[in-house]
Structures are given as structure tokens and as C-alpha cells.
Amino acid sequence: MTTSTVPVEPPVVDEGPRPGRWGLWAQRNFRKLWIGETASGLGTAVGNVALALVAVVTLDASPFMVGVLTASAWVPWLFLGLLAGAWVDRWPRLKVMLICDLLLLVLFGSVPVAGWFDALTMAQLIVVALLAGAVKVFFSTAYGAVLPALVAKDDLLEANVKLRSGDSAAEIAGPGLAGLLSQVFGAASGLLADAVTYLVSAICLGGIKVKETPPPVAARRGILREIGEGVRFLAGDPFLRNLALFGAVGNLGLNGIQAVQTIFLVRSVGVSPGGIGAVFAVVSVGGLAGAALAGRIARRFGTARGLLLCELVAAPFILLLPLAGSRLPLAVSAVAWSVAVCGVIAGNVLAGSFYQSYCPPDMIGRIRASASTVNFSAIPVGALLGGWLGEVLGARTTIWIMAGVLLSAGAVLLAGPLRARRDFPERPAAAPAAA
């Protein structure tokens, strides 16, 4: 028995001229999306480092409070993820992203303003992180669903490679810029740069012309029923279910590391704020390499097998990170950290492209939101656990533990259907069963 869904007109894709030499760069809509999201990614990279530095350097936060700050940005997924998926499938997705950019501009702009008036507190940072996290639930859900309306299905991997490469390039420049701004103007100044980039993103999104056709109001069947359709589709599909669980375990370990990484570098290794920016820039080079290599990995090994290789070969290099400053020079550990990030990002590109090509267009928001609720909900848990372990055991021991959790995500993949395949399937074998 299949789930009843209302037929929705497929999105009109603006193919545009596509000379082989330029690929998607020849499409005006894609260029605007890339510019806007790369600018926003630069601001986010600056803001992530600056927010942690404000907490650690300016407000002298404890490891647990840094964990709370990190978790606050992801807690909204627990409460809003499934609702956001259903709502985004009802609305024009570009308009959702535009409104979210403007809200993020206001939220992150409030931090440097409070700093100028010497009124900045840890409570404000946590509130800003919490509200910005809620806004990003809608932005991320819409962003993951809008790309199939902008490019053809066969171009999704290329689009994701280019978008992720832009993000990774921003992540290389962002930490160094955050460290420089923090060194010269104070840590809160980095968040002003973050706010400005959301304005750039909003301007670019406003210039994209594409026809989106969300379901008419009369076709809506109730928010809980629509949420249920997305959840059942995810739970009933072995590939999507396995990827969601894999993402949850990986995020648990990765964010446990991130909760204490700044404290580890500052207090255990003795790195200055400017040096932290340089370390994170080196690590982000791995992200750029991973995004650039994802297409080649898919062609050489296949999409499914390529994801397995990323997790089983590159990710274990993270075990060299906690040796920094004790048994290994920081530079060696930073390069190993970069290799691990290379595998994570390449895997994300392959998995993200699979979601966009595999899921029915009229349900992609709900399915992605269901999966994101599973794997993103592990982020605040990992951040809080990492912060607590940092208080009890110290940052270095915490990174050892969380690196082991991160690597166990590869075992989740091996337990699923991907181990027997070269490539991801192109479409579901059967429609999801109704409740």
C-alpha cells in the first residue's frame, strides 16, 4: 500500500547555455547562488571561530559553557526540523532562504553592537546562537531542496562540488580572517563580518529568477500528515535510513571534538588567536580538496564505494589530532586533521547529491528534514558531551574519545546496503508504505 501524495508540477529548471568548457558557470542563476552562498560561507567561517574566541578569550568561558554555546546552535533541530521540512515543501524555497538571510544579519549584528557598548554577556551569545540555529533549520532545509529547481538532475553532482568548493575556500580564508580581526579589533568584530555576508547572500538570492511551484493551499492535507509522509519515506528506505544513522554517529563525534578544539589549541597547545585562525585555515584546505575530489572519486570508484573509502581511509587521520603539542608537532597534526576533513567533505558531497537526485521533488524538503533531524540532533548531544568530558577529563582526552566515536560511523555504513554496491541507486525500489 503506497502513501497518497498530491501530484505537484515538477520544478522548471533554467538550463541556460552550457558550453562544455564552463559547465554550470554559464548559468546565471547558479552563478548568483554560488556567489551568495560562498559569501555567506565566508561569514559563517569567520563567525564560528569568532564566536568561540569571544566566549574563551573575551568572556573566559569554561569548557562546558563552550559546549553549551556550540549545542545551542543545533538544539532547534530537535524541535523544528520535522516542521520545517513540511513548511518548506509548502513555500517558495528561495523566498525562505532570503528571509532567513535577513534575520541572520540582525542576529549576528547584535553581538558586535553589544560589544561596543561593553554589554556583551555569555547569555547573549547563547541566545543569539539558539535563535540563529532556529533560522538556519529553515535555511538549510530550503537550501537542500532548492538546487533541483535550478539545475538539471544530471548536473547535481557538479553543482554540489562547485558549491562545496566555494564553502571550503571560504572556510580556508575565514578562520585566518577571524584570527586577524580578533587580534587587531577584538573577537566580536568577526561577527560583524559574518552579519555583512548574510546581506550579500540576500542580494544574490533576490536576483535569482526561477519558477517554483509549491502545492496550492487547497491541496494541503494537514501538517502532521505531511510530516508523517517524510518520516515514513526515510524510515522505509534502507539507503536513506542508513545514511541518516551514519550522519548521526559522525556528528556526535565530530561535534564533541569541535566543542573543545579551541580550548585544546589555546590552553593545551598554547596557540595564539591568530595562530588558531592559521590552524583552522590549514584544516579547511582539506575541505576544499574533498569537495574538488568528490567528482573524481565518484567516477573512479562509484558513488557508494567512494563514500565508504572516504570514511574508512581518510577519516582515521583524525587520530593524530590529540597528539598535537605532545608527541607530534602541531603542523603535522593539523595536516592529518586536514586529511580527515577531506574525507568527511567528499563524503558529504556524494551523500548530498544522492539525496537531491533520489528523493521525489515534492517531498524532498520533508525527507531531508527528517534525515537532518536524526543526524543534526546528535550535534548538540555531542557538543554537550564533549564540553562535559572536557571539564572532567581534559580537552586532549576528550578528543581521543570523540575521534573514536567519529570513526565508528564507518562501521554504520558497512552494516548497511552500501557495502555491496558500486553506486547509489537512481530511484527508490518502491514507494513508502502508508501508516
Side-chain angles (χ1 to χ4, degrees), residues 36-71:
E37 296 320 300
T38 301
S40 177
L42 176 63
T44 299
V46 171
N48 286 343
V49 176
L51 199 64
L53 285 174
V54 169
V56 174
V57 178
T58 305
L59 300 177
D60 195 28
S62 67
F64 181 72
M65 288 308 297
V66 175
V68 170
L69 181 63
T70 303

Side-chain angles (χ1 to χ4, degrees), residues 40-399:
S40 177
L42 176 63
T44 299
V46 171
N48 286 343
V49 176
L51 199 64
L53 285 174
V54 169
V56 174
V57 178
T58 305
L59 300 177
D60 195 28
S62 67
F64 181 72
M65 288 308 297
V66 175
V68 170
L69 181 63
T70 303
S72 298
W74 297 97
V75 164
W77 279 100
L78 291 168
F79 308 101
L80 295 176
L82 295 176
L83 287 171
W87 282 332
V88 164
D89 276 344
R90 292 180 170 190
W91 301 333
R93 288 148 184 171
L94 282 170
K95 186 175 292 186
V96 172
M97 294 168 64
L98 176 60
I99 293 171
C100 289
D101 271 334
L102 297 176
L103 291 173
L104 292 169
L105 165 65
V106 174
L107 287 170
F108 284 106
S110 72
V111 175
V113 170
W116 295 335
F117 288 96
D118 198 26
L120 186 61
T121 64
M122 195 67 194
Q124 180 182 348
L125 289 187
I126 292 173
V127 170
V128 167
L130 187 65
L131 293 177
V135 173
K136 287 183 178 181
V137 170
F138 289 88
F139 185 93
S140 298
T141 303
Y143 183 39
V146 76
L147 197 57
L150 296 179
V151 303
K153 182 176 180 178
D154 291 343
D155 297 327
L156 285 172
L157 179 58
E158 179 191 348
N160 281 299
V161 166
K162 286 180 164 58
L163 288 167
R164 188 60 223 185
S165 295
D167 286 342
S168 298
E171 288 167 3
I172 293 172
L177 180 58
L180 179 62
L181 291 172
S182 299
Q183 197 88 37
V184 177
F185 301 107
S189 63
L191 295 172
L192 179 61
D194 189 7
V196 170
T197 60
Y198 289 118
L199 177 61
V200 174
S201 176
I203 292 171
C204 291
L205 291 176
I208 294 176
K209 307 299 181 185
V210 66
K211 181 182 179 183
E212 293 188 90
T213 55
V217 175
R220 295 176 183 173
R221 301 174 303 287
I223 197 76
L224 293 179
R225 182 176 176 184
E226 292 180 359
I227 288 172
E229 290 175 353
V231 172
R232 287 194 299 274
F233 196 105
L234 175 75
D237 187 280
F239 295 96
L240 297 178
R241 184 175 63 242
N242 183 246
L243 286 178
L245 294 174
F246 155 73
V249 175
N251 280 331
L252 184 69
L254 187 62
N255 286 274
I257 293 172
Q258 291 178 348
V260 297
Q261 64 187 15
T262 301
I263 288 176
F264 171 67
L265 292 173
V266 171
R267 298 176 184 172
S268 299
V269 186
V271 184
S272 68
I276 287 175
V279 170
F280 288 156
V282 170
V283 173
S284 297
V285 170
L288 179 61
L293 291 172
R296 295 181 182 181
I297 291 172
R299 289 189 292 272
R300 175 67 178 83
F301 301 103
T303 51
R305 196 172 297 163
L307 176 59
L308 285 170
L309 288 174
C310 289
E311 294 304 319
L312 300 179
V313 176
F317 278 85
I318 195 66
L319 293 173
L320 300 184
L321 170 60
L323 297 175
S326 60
R327 298 184 181 181
L328 286 178
L330 175 61
V332 175
S333 292
V335 170
W337 192 0
S338 178
V339 173
V341 169
C342 175
V344 170
I345 297 302
N348 286 348
V349 170
L350 295 174
S353 300
F354 168 63
Y355 271 102
Q356 291 164 344
S357 63
Y358 184 78
C359 299
D362 59 316
M363 293 182 65
I364 188 171
R366 284 168 283 166
I367 297 169
R368 286 296 301 265
S370 299
S372 296
T373 299
V374 173
N375 54 53
F376 287 171
S377 294
I379 292 178
V381 176
L384 290 173
L385 181 59
W388 178 75
L389 289 173
E391 291 270 9
V392 176
L393 303 175
R396 193 183 299 273
T397 303
T398 298
I399 292 177

Side-chain angles (χ1 to χ4, degrees), residues 13-35 147-164 353 356:
V13 177
D14 177 19
E15 299 268 355
R18 295 199 55 235
R21 180 178 178 183
W22 296 106
L24 288 174
W25 296 128
Q27 292 189 19
R28 177 179 175 274
N29 282 341
F30 180 80
R31 287 198 307 272
K32 286 185 175 291
L33 180 68
W34 185 88
I35 293 169
L147 197 57
L150 296 179
V151 303
K153 182 176 180 178
D154 291 343
D155 297 327
L156 285 172
L157 179 58
E158 179 191 348
N160 281 299
V161 166
K162 286 180 164 58
L163 288 167
R164 188 60 223 185
S353 300
Q356 291 164 344

